[in-house]
Amino acid sequence: MSSTPQIAVTMGDGAGIGPEVIVRALLDPTISAAAHCVVIGDAERLRQAARIVGLEPDIVAIETVGEAEFTPGRINVIDLGLLPPDLPFGAVSAVAGDAAYHYIRVASELAMSGQVQAICTAPLNKAALQAGGHIFPGHTELLAELTGTKEVSMMLSTPKVKVIHVTTHIGLIDAVDRIEPGLVERTIRRGHQALVDAGVAAPKIGVCGINPHAGENGLFGRGEEETKIAPGVEVCQADGIDVHGPLPADTLFFLAGRGDYDLVVAMYHDQGHGPVKILGLEAGVNVTVGLPVIRTSVDHGTAFDIAGKGIADHRSMIEALRLAVEMAPERVAG
């Protein structure tokens, strides 16, 4: 048995920056030494990306993970061959959206069958995904569907703060309506377990309120903190989880940023994403918590405005791969 995890790296939307950041990240010596990565995507698109960024890797199309060879300068690709060679960079394409779906589908199958120990995803474009006939808000919901998982959480990780979300890709009014004590409790538990699995023995968790000043004793809002959030927190406290809240979100993120909390529980998408992206977009990583497989991702989009120009920052992809290595079971068939 080898201790080097095998990671399926999905190419994301081929019209975006995914191919560029993948090529750069997989040629980083710290990544090639830590993981055996197999790209699920389009070999020719990766070759185009390599030329754009001025690199000359040996990009080899393979059919199975078992065919991969891990030598310096080589990138192994399970080539689905779904993209036309003249696909333009920087534009929404139904073809690219459909291809992005199939990259994830194949990676999920490989992970569920144990052929890889983690999935690391490059960004997809939601408009392209849906134009390609796959009606999902994003990776999180798509992976839940593919793995038969009823409920998952999105966790964002940076060197300064980690955030898990009670709700994500829904409108704010719908998010407030969906939040209830059971969902808050389950989200806290998923976040707690994720940190324990990552080596934090006793995580300290802070839970955001919904309203300004966490409602300030009923002054703001309609009592959401007391009815929707506090009961879920109290159940987790009774089970010995070191969790506090609901707390004012602005203060909580400040305290977490200086190290007082290991994890922040955000109630809705922008409450968590805004502070995280200010604190460390270039090193941010998205983790889907609650899946039966490990999944990490870059914490940025397809960046169509700079796709194909060779200037995309690949640091988030490197961090996503590093976190996948840390979280993946250290076992792979030798």
Side-chain angles (χ1 to χ4, degrees), residues 193-326:
Q193 189 62 52
L195 264 65
V196 170
D197 291 345
V200 182
K204 185 174 181 180
I205 301 172
V207 180
C208 293
I210 295 172
N211 297 296
H213 302 184
E216 199 160 304
N217 299 314
L219 182 61
F220 304 117
R222 301 178 181 179
E224 290 89 351
E225 280 71 24
E226 290 75 18
T227 61
K228 290 175 171 286
I229 302 173
V233 173
E234 291 164 3
V235 171
C236 292
Q237 289 172 334
D239 282 350
I241 296 176
D242 187 6
V243 58
H244 306 262
L247 302 170
D250 52 357
T251 302
L252 177 53
F253 273 101
F254 167 75
L255 295 174
R258 75 179 188 185
D260 292 7
Y261 289 90
D262 299 299
L263 179 68
V264 172
V265 180
M267 290 297 116
Y268 52 90
H269 183 281
D270 285 11
Q271 186 181 59
H273 277 62
V276 164
K277 291 190 175 183
I278 290 172
L279 288 170
L281 177 62
E282 73 285 346
V285 178
N286 182 334
V287 184
T288 306
V289 180
L291 292 172
V293 300
I294 301 299
R295 180 260 173 163
T296 66
S297 179
V298 295
D299 186 26
H300 58 70
T302 47
F304 280 170
D305 58 325
I306 62 170
K309 298 180 180 179
I311 59 175
D313 191 329
H314 64 293
R315 285 177 290 177
S316 182
M317 176 57 76
I318 286 179
E319 294 305 319
L321 287 164
R322 285 176 178 164
L323 186 57
V325 170
E326 290 176 12

Side-chain angles (χ1 to χ4, degrees), residues 53-179:
V53 300
L55 296 172
E56 297 181 353
D58 184 17
I59 296 174
V60 181
I62 58 175
E63 293 187 3
T64 67
V65 173
E67 294 177 19
E69 297 178 11
F70 302 100
T71 55
R74 172 173 167 141
I75 296 177
N76 298 281
V77 188
I78 294 182
D79 185 8
L80 301 191
L82 298 174
L83 299 181
D86 59 349
L87 178 76
F89 282 97
V92 173
S93 162
V95 172
D98 178 58
Y101 167 83
H102 287 290
Y103 304 153
I104 292 292
R105 176 186 58 78
V106 172
S108 297
E109 292 168 357
L110 293 173
M112 292 293 284
S113 65
Q115 296 180 64
V116 298
Q117 285 68 58
I119 300 169
C120 184
T121 60
L124 54 72
N125 181 278
K126 296 175 181 63
L129 179 70
Q130 297 195 17
H134 308 287
I135 311 303
F136 295 92
H139 269 122
T140 302
E141 298 80 4
L142 173 53
L143 283 160
E145 174 75 18
L146 289 169
T147 59
T149 308
K150 183 177 180 181
E151 187 176 277
V152 297
S153 297
M154 176 188 292
M155 186 170 79
L156 303 181
S157 175
T158 76
K160 288 188 176 181
V161 66
K162 292 179 173 58
V163 183
I164 192 167
H165 294 70
V166 175
T167 67
T168 48
H169 295 124
I170 55 176
L172 182 55
I173 293 174
D174 295 329
V176 174
D177 185 58
R178 183 173 296 184
I179 296 165

